Amino acid sequence: MSNALARLALSAYRWVGLGLYPVMRPYLAFRAAKGKEERGRRGERFGRASVERPAGPLVWIHAASVGETNAVSPLIREVRRRGISVVLTTGTVTSARVARERLGDSVIHQYVPLDLKPVLNRFLDHWRPDLAIMVESEIWPMTILELGARHIPQVLVNGRMSDRSFARWQKRPAIADALFEKFALVIAQSDADAERFRTLGALPVLVSGNLKVDTDAPPHDPAVLAAYRSQLGTRKTWAAISTFEGEELAAGNVHAALKQHIELLTIIVPRHPERADAIEEALVAKGLKVARRTRNDPLTADTDIFLGDTIGEMGLYLRMTEIAFVGRSLFGEGGQNPLEPAMLGCAVLSGPNVQNFRDSYQQLAKSGCARMVRDVEMLAKGVGYLLVNDDMRHKMIAAGQDSLQEMRGALTETVRGLEPYLNPLTVKARLHPREA
């Protein structure tokens, strides 16, 4: 594709967006009815700010969902420590709650504006950011172009490029080059990610490691954890977390096979809790007794499955066990983040499909913390072995702690890369003091 055709394609994207603008209001209303949008804050999605812009320098940081919000929280604290205001945008109700819990009033949270020219103009006219920081893989064409038109530096941090995304961009090299060249800097998670960004036209590109390693462990309520541990008694546990369709039933099959020999409770935490009713129905149909977190069901002696159908309590579920299977890896593509279970002292098991977290799994597997399983039968054998073999389980847990220690440092490298952009804003903030 030539540069002229790339410009034409991006212009077509802009006009298609304008054509869709009238239908976005009913679409967001539909999402709000399903609980996927906050009814009172839908205006933010159209770039209408709900609060005034603070005086002084301001950085716009965008994190798509919960994982990205958690990953970038330490970086946000560093920016705020310098006296620079931050407007944080996210795309989900859950991530908004996480931002409130982790960052409180230290940042201004807004829902991310739609990638439409009039919406972005309204958003940028109000906030007038001095710097825009996108997290991981947030590549929105109109946002990139509008920031570029206003000469606002934009940086991608914790950059990740999946196999599928890279293949798609390679089919459109001129469009990729027209967009990725707009980034003043890309800070990638790994050497492989960095090389992919360079291939697509991004320069300069640095490598920091994964910011998720430098985040705090997921929080929990100690009183709730103590109550569940009391109910468990001496029963052994394992968890299947961030599961996708098919993997909950697989976990149920593993439990059914193992409970004949081991007094066992299986913890299942689906990636999408709204599927909990269907998951419970399928597990009950297999003769398993299910307790649900949302119902505050007690974990009685005959409870087979504890269904963690809440959001934001992964810290609770992982502290109830020392073995975690990480989903979207047996009956899904891409995998999910294995760092949280390793951080909270779990031996990690996973299916083979972990393309989106390949670097993390490679490092954990190399240290001996993570092991891959091919199928449900191999998962059952792996869980069973770790349940009865304390030495091996503890060895894997210790290896995970050592590996995470070696992987840390991404925050320091990221801040170092951002210094040319943050230092002038730090000076500006000191020259224009304001109420924090």
Side-chain angles (χ1 to χ4, degrees):
M1 181 183 289
S2 68
N3 289 335
L5 285 176
R7 288 195 296 272
L8 182 62
L10 291 171
S11 178
Y13 178 90
R14 177 186 291 113
W15 286 105
V16 169
L18 290 173
L20 290 174
Y21 187 82
V23 305
M24 295 311 297
R25 193 172 299 279
Y27 170 68
L28 290 178
F30 173 75
R31 282 176 53 85
K34 288 184 166 291
K36 295 183 178 181
E37 300 279 344
E38 284 193 53
R39 291 180 183 274
R41 297 180 62 183
R42 278 179 285 168
E44 294 173 19
R45 302 284 266 139
F46 291 95
R48 296 186 179 91
S50 57
V51 298
E52 290 298 316
R53 184 200 190 278
L58 180 141
V59 174
W60 172 24
I61 298 179
H62 173 58
S65 191
V66 173
E68 294 84 356
T69 303
N70 285 332
V72 81
S73 290
L75 177 60
I76 291 173
R77 294 190 191 101
E78 171 61 24
V79 175
R80 289 295 295 121
R81 186 186 66 79
R82 295 164 176 251
I84 303 167
S85 296
V86 172
V87 58
L88 169 68
T89 59
T90 66
T92 66
V93 173
T94 310
S95 57
R97 185 165 67 243
V98 169
R100 185 166 56 249
E101 291 171 352
R102 291 216 163 191
L103 298 166
D105 295 332
S106 66
V107 301
I108 301 167
H109 177 268
Q110 300 281 278
Y111 282 105
V112 64
L114 299 168
D115 196 43
L116 306 174
K117 183 177 174 62
V119 171
L120 288 162
N121 283 339
R122 191 178 296 124
F123 179 89
L124 294 173
D125 285 346
H126 177 84
W127 293 109
R128 305 186 312 279
D130 298 280
L131 171 67
I133 298 176
M134 307 297 161
V135 184
E136 290 203 9
S137 55
E138 288 298 285
I139 309 297
W140 292 99
M142 198 52 53
T143 300
I144 291 172
L145 293 176
E146 289 304 309
L147 286 168
R150 294 174 184 239
H151 305 290
I152 298 170
Q154 43 192 318
V155 178
L156 183 69
V157 302
N158 215 38
R160 176 171 63 85
M161 180 67 65
S162 69
D163 296 348
R164 183 177 298 180
S165 294
F166 184 55
R168 282 201 299 261
W169 284 116
Q170 279 191 307
K171 293 177 183 177
R172 303 165 181 84
I175 294 177
D177 190 66
L179 293 176
F180 285 96
E181 71 173 3
K182 302 290 188 195
F183 282 103
L185 173 66
V186 171
I187 304 178
Q189 291 185 20
S190 69
D191 291 330
D193 290 312
E195 186 56 38
R196 288 180 173 184
F197 282 114
R198 292 189 189 101
T199 300
L200 296 174
L203 284 174
V205 180
L206 306 177
V207 178
S208 66
N210 194 336
L211 278 175
K212 290 178 179 176
V213 183
D214 287 353
T215 59
D216 299 328
H220 73 293
D221 185 327
V224 174
L225 177 61
Y228 279 129
R229 282 178 171 167
S230 176
Q231 294 173 18
L232 279 171
T234 59
R235 265 193 297 175
K236 295 181 180 296
T237 63
W238 75 287
I241 66 168
S242 301
T243 53
F244 278 63
E245 187 171 356
E247 291 174 331
E248 297 90 9
L249 202 55
N253 290 335
V254 170
H255 178 88
L258 295 178
K259 78 170 189 174
Q260 302 174 39
H261 315 287
I262 303 170
E263 192 178 359
L264 179 66
L265 177 80
T266 292
I267 303 164
I268 298 178
V269 187
R271 180 69 176 83
H272 300 291
E274 61 268 22
R275 297 176 47 243
D277 289 343
I279 295 169
E280 180 180 22
E281 184 179 347
L283 294 170
V284 170
K286 292 186 66 66
L288 300 172
K289 182 175 179 180
V290 178
R292 286 174 64 166
R293 171 69 177 133
T294 53
R295 289 196 302 243
N296 288 317
D297 294 335
L299 304 180
T300 58
D302 58 347
T303 300
D304 294 296
I305 307 293
F306 180 31
L307 186 55
D309 54 346
T310 56
I311 292 175
E313 291 195 301
M314 189 64 78
L316 168 67
Y317 304 127
L318 288 174
R319 285 178 172 88
M320 293 175 64
T321 187
E322 290 185 335
I323 304 168
F325 164 77
V326 184
R328 202 182 183 184
S329 58
L330 270 182
F331 300 108
E333 290 290 332
Q336 291 288 288
N337 179 20
L339 298 175
E340 285 186 346
M343 190 180 298
L344 287 175
C346 290
V348 177
L349 298 173
S350 170
N353 306 316
V354 295
Q355 300 90 331
N356 292 347
F357 296 87
R358 182 183 293 117
D359 189 62
S360 295
Y361 273 105
Q362 284 178 342
Q363 294 185 64
L364 291 178
K366 183 179 178 181
S367 72
C369 171
R371 293 190 174 188
M372 303 301 197
V373 298
R374 292 187 305 270
D375 49 34
V376 180
E377 181 181 358
M378 191 173 176
L379 175 61
K381 290 179 179 178
V383 172
Y385 177 72
L386 290 175
L387 285 170
V388 299
N389 193 319
D390 294 345
D391 288 342
M392 177 54 69
R393 187 174 71 252
H394 294 153
K395 183 178 179 180
M396 289 181 69
I397 292 169
Q401 298 298 306
D402 292 341
S403 182
L404 289 172
Q405 191 61 39
E406 293 176 5
M407 293 164 68
R408 288 192 171 95
L411 178 61
T412 300
E413 293 301 317
T414 299
V415 172
R416 183 177 291 125
L418 288 171
E419 291 286 8
Y421 306 96
L422 292 179
N423 283 345
L425 300 183
T426 304
V427 173
K428 185 178 177 182
R430 290 170 181 167
L431 291 175
H432 299 278
R434 65 186 184 284
E435 196 173 307

